[in-house]
Amino acid sequence: MSRIKKHYHWVIAALVLIQLTIHGGTNNNLNLFVLPVSEAFGISRSAISVAGSLKAVASFLGTFFSGAVLLRLGYRKSVLTFMAVAVVGLGIVSSSSNLIVFSLGYIIFGLADGVCISAGPPRIINAWFHRHQGTV
């Protein structure tokens, strides 16, 4: 037990790395699917880019309010709740049949992304550096 507790900080560092890797993969995937999605919906690539822009604005708003959400719900509940919301948003995106539903899914995903991923790891790293003087 003491061995696990002694090296628990590496588990936290690994989980934050995994969380940021998932964030990078899901955030940057729209560029890969612009052409197939525009052909499937029969709309222009600029309309798909507008959906991506709406996601960016929603992510900004989610990040803007994430501090209050994290303080009110706690970090674990916030991350679990908004990861579930992000999965729902990506599910809506993957099963959408028109641009409005596609955009709505990306907006939902953007809000969840802003709360659980953009503000979570900096909070963990900030608390870790204050407690352990920047050492892992």
Side-chain angles (χ1 to χ4, degrees):
M1 183 74 170
S2 65
R3 182 172 170 83
I4 292 174
K5 193 168 191 166
K6 183 178 178 182
H7 298 292
Y8 184 66
H9 51 275
W10 286 107
V11 174
I12 294 171
L15 289 175
V16 169
L17 179 67
I18 290 169
Q19 190 177 17
L20 289 173
T21 303
I22 292 170
H23 165 70
T26 55
N27 244 0
N28 298 322
N29 67 357
L30 181 62
N31 298 334
L32 298 172
F33 300 114
V34 169
L35 190 60
V37 169
S38 67
E39 289 174 356
F41 290 153
I43 55 175
S44 68
R45 289 181 283 188
S46 62
I48 301 294
S49 297
V50 167
S53 298
L54 290 173
K55 180 202 154 297
V57 169
S59 183
F60 165 74
L61 292 174
T63 303
F64 187 70
F65 294 109
S66 65
V69 171
L70 288 172
L71 286 175
R72 182 168 293 242
L73 294 177
Y75 180 73
R76 287 183 186 151
K77 288 181 184 176
S78 298
V79 168
L80 290 175
T81 302
F82 284 99
M83 284 245 191
V85 172
V87 168
V88 168
L90 288 176
I92 291 171
V93 168
S94 67
S95 64
S96 61
S97 59
N98 60 27
L99 181 63
I100 294 173
V101 176
F102 184 82
S103 299
L104 179 66
Y106 257 106
I107 290 170
I108 291 170
F109 173 71
L111 284 170
D113 176 60
V115 173
C116 72
I117 297 188
S118 298
R123 181 194 173 275
I124 290 175
I125 292 169
N126 184 32
W128 186 264
F129 273 75
H130 280 291
R131 193 173 307 130
H132 298 283
Q133 289 81 37
T135 58
V136 174

